[in-house]
Amino acid sequence: MKEFFKYVLATVTGIILVGIIMGILAVISLVGLAASSASTTNVEDNSVFVLSLSGTLNERTAEDPLASLTGQVSENMGLDKLLEAIKKAKEKEEIKGIYIEAGLFSSDTPASTHAIREALLDFKKSGKWIVAYADTYEQSTYYICSVADKIFLNPDGMIDWHGLASTPYFVKDLLAKFGVKYQLCKVGKYKSAPEMMTADGMSEPNREQVTAYINGIWEVMLKEVSDSRKIPVDSLNAYADRFVTLAEPEDYVKMKMVDKLIYTDEVKGEVKKMLKIDEKDDIKQLTLADMEGVKGKKNEGDQIAVYYAYGEIVDSETGSVMDTEHNIVANTVCKDLEKLTNDDDVKAVVLRVNSPGGSAYASEQIWRAVTNLKAKKPVVVSMGGYAASGGYYISCAANYIVSEPTTITGSIGIFGMFPDFSGLLTEKLGVKFDEVKTNKHAAFGTMARPFNAEEMALLEQYIGRGYNLFRKRVADGRQQSIEQIEEIAQGRVWLGNDALKIKLVDEIGGLDKAIAKAASLAKVSQYHATSYPEEQSWWASMLDQATSKNNYLDEQLQATLGEYYEPFKFVKNMNRQSAIQARLPYYVNIK
């Protein structure tokens, strides 16, 4: 009887605790809903949009309800909301200019920073002004801020201007210390993703393609900064060679990289001059969060769907390579695209792709969904930072492809990389194996030994069929012969500007241009764009955040490891990847 009452008491206590927790969550949810309903921002005349370039830029904004409730400022921003805010600032007559405050800013790709810069240039077409200030300009933020009418720098500040570099990692010898090695099957001499596990350095084909695309990106940056600041390209290159990052601040004025050296407390005075208000008057400011509540133009006409597909391409959520990253989950994307196919209100679809690729199988399934969608309505691809390997696979079936000039694309090739732990198990740990089998290949893939020559030959045939299918998909989509595609395939990475020349893409431009093209193909004159997948509800976002694997410890690990975080996670989760991959190396990092 005593045990009975003990269990009853424990059950009652548990029910009460659950009720209390659910009550608290319900109250928080109601607060969030109330906050959402009252989020319309009133824009006063003679206002300034204050754009803080700090934190991490992602393809799409991830809602952070807990941060909103606690008053914290999220360190992540979405390119989608940032571009939308700049567009609203252009359209609102009450907003007279943009003040950019540059800080520690991390962008996922050069194409994303280019998109921001283009949006700011478009903003200036309205006749409005842009002012930029920083204690220190990182290279990417200076590139963005170079569009400003006035660029100010702290008298003790610096401009990081040094050029671009790519620094791949190689861990073959590290793994060998633990008795681990990788067996490789690949098609395409430029397919460099496996080199990290199987080589000591860059292959010559890989060095060739990396040299081509980082030089191409640097040329774009040089030309655009030159056009805005009226500094010759040769001079900008010379400044990088001299590593002017460590120059005297006064020299930046002489080099015309900045207009004036001023302290933080003097910035308001400069902005007030632009607004033509008295020194004693307050500046009416709007933040990025405020701009979300600013009403844009009314949605009129037919609907063009913009479907965001960004991250690694995986078969399912359980196959995710990066626990903390957004992924393109094949079964989810296919269902979403099927819904858009059958939605008569959607007249055309823009597939916004920002992906280095991933599972070849998953890429084929999404290709099929895009093909089915195209059979009923126009599909236009808008390429973000990456649309390479599997990212290009899912793009090639579209009616039309629009790429940023610095998008990294192509990489038409496939590989299979198989870990061999037999050395770790037998030599390091002393594990012994024996074998009994009924058929010749019954022990195929055993951990007791690496693949033998015959087994590798079978794998190579399988990988070869995958490559042939990939080439055919591209050839059919781009209306070229397989022989023509082979000349530009072999896993070769291309920059958007170069991809246009070889007809892998149809036009250079951003998301707005892709939406306009989709409307044109659908033969609609009045239209509006709607983003998909739809954003999570406030409540769902909060629950996801509470159960997310992206916890505080992981965030601290990422902050501590910095640029080494990605290779660490890549190696850690290698065994969770699909065996057959159509992807870029993780290390296409450009600094």
Side-chain angles (χ1 to χ4, degrees), residues 38 74 104 180 210 264 318 321 362-363 371-372 404 479 497 539 543:
S74 175
L104 295 176
V180 178
V210 173
T264 307
T318 56
V321 176
S363 300
T371 302
N372 290 339
E404 293 281 0
Q479 298 180 353
N497 278 339
W539 173 254
L543 288 178

Side-chain angles (χ1 to χ4, degrees), residues 35-45 47-50 85 88-89 92 94-95 284-296:
S36 300
S37 64
S39 61
T40 302
T41 302
N42 179 43
V43 182
E44 298 182 68
D45 192 31
S47 294
V48 175
F49 170 31
V50 179
K88 286 180 182 178
K92 283 289 179 181
E94 296 87 349
I95 298 176
K284 298 164 186 173
Q285 304 176 42
L286 295 163
T287 65
L288 183 60
D290 293 329
M291 293 301 295
E292 280 196 56
V294 174
K295 290 185 178 179

Side-chain angles (χ1 to χ4, degrees), residues 22 83 177 179 225 285 297 304 318 342 351 353 357 367 380 386 436 500 505-506 521 538:
M22 292 304 293
L83 298 182
K177 293 181 186 298
V225 172
Q285 304 176 42
K297 288 184 177 178
I304 306 297
T318 56
N342 298 324
L351 185 64
V353 178
W367 170 88
V380 174
Y386 298 103
V436 175
L500 179 66
V505 306
D506 298 294
L521 291 175
W538 192 90

Side-chain angles (χ1 to χ4, degrees), residues 59-325:
E59 179 66 28
R60 207 173 180 200
T61 301
E63 297 299 327
D64 192 347
L66 294 181
S68 300
L69 284 175
T70 58
Q72 296 176 346
V73 178
S74 175
E75 293 184 355
N76 296 307
M77 67 175 77
L79 179 63
D80 59 338
K81 293 292 174 68
L82 185 53
L83 298 182
E84 182 184 8
I86 295 172
K87 187 176 182 180
K88 286 180 182 178
K90 176 188 175 183
E91 295 169 350
K92 283 289 179 181
E93 292 183 5
E94 296 87 349
I95 298 176
K96 304 304 179 184
I98 294 177
Y99 165 60
I100 304 175
E101 190 166 85
L104 295 176
F105 179 70
S106 174
S107 171
D108 57 349
T109 63
S112 296
T113 53
H114 180 269
I116 297 171
R117 197 178 188 280
E118 287 294 300
L120 292 170
L121 283 172
D122 182 63
F123 170 85
K124 289 179 67 175
K125 290 178 182 177
S126 63
K128 300 179 181 183
W129 49 264
I130 299 175
V131 169
Y133 175 82
D135 294 324
T136 295
Y137 286 100
E138 294 180 326
Q139 188 163 262
S140 60
T141 52
Y142 182 78
Y143 167 66
I144 294 171
C145 293
S146 63
V147 305
D149 299 275
K150 297 288 183 182
I151 300 180
F152 300 123
L153 176 70
N154 190 290
D156 197 34
M158 61 173 58
I159 300 175
D160 185 16
W161 187 255
H162 58 269
L164 299 178
S166 180
T167 53
Y169 305 84
F170 302 91
V171 297
K172 184 187 77 170
D173 291 346
L174 171 65
L175 295 174
K177 293 181 186 298
F178 299 94
V180 178
K181 61 182 179 180
Y182 276 82
Q183 293 181 278
L184 172 66
C185 295
K186 73 167 186 173
V187 181
K189 65 179 181 179
Y190 292 98
K191 201 67 182 173
S192 59
E195 288 182 358
M196 180 185 68
M197 300 293 192
T198 61
D200 298 318
M202 300 174 75
S203 63
E204 285 308 310
N206 188 28
R207 188 176 300 278
E208 175 191 345
Q209 68 178 349
V210 173
T211 300
Y213 69 66
I214 66 170
N215 279 322
I217 294 168
W218 184 237
E219 286 172 8
V220 170
M221 293 177 66
L222 286 172
K223 183 181 183 304
E224 294 183 350
V225 172
S226 175
D227 290 345
S228 293
R229 296 300 300 170
K230 303 297 184 279
I231 304 172
V233 167
D234 290 344
S235 296
L236 288 170
N237 251 328
Y239 298 161
D241 287 337
R242 282 161 44 192
F243 198 64
V244 295
T245 304
L246 303 179
E248 292 284 349
E250 292 80 5
D251 291 342
Y252 297 131
V253 180
K254 296 175 184 176
M255 290 184 282
K256 299 182 180 179
M257 296 189 79
V258 301
D259 297 290
K260 193 176 180 181
L261 301 177
I262 61 175
Y263 287 101
T264 307
D265 59 273
E266 297 177 287
V267 176
K268 287 185 178 180
E270 296 293 338
V271 173
K272 287 177 181 180
K273 288 178 186 177
M274 303 297 288
L275 288 170
K276 299 177 182 177
I277 61 176
D278 293 334
E279 186 65 33
K280 62 182 180 180
D281 293 336
D282 292 329
I283 299 172
K284 298 164 186 173
Q285 304 176 42
L286 295 163
T287 65
L288 183 60
D290 293 329
M291 293 301 295
E292 280 196 56
V294 174
K295 290 185 178 179
K297 288 184 177 178
K298 186 179 179 182
N299 288 341
E300 296 179 345
D302 292 304
Q303 181 186 166
I304 306 297
V306 179
Y307 189 89
Y308 285 85
Y310 59 101
E312 295 268 350
I313 300 174
V314 297
D315 300 313
S316 64
E317 283 291 1
T318 56
S320 170
V321 176
M322 301 291 282
D323 292 343
T324 61
E325 300 293 328

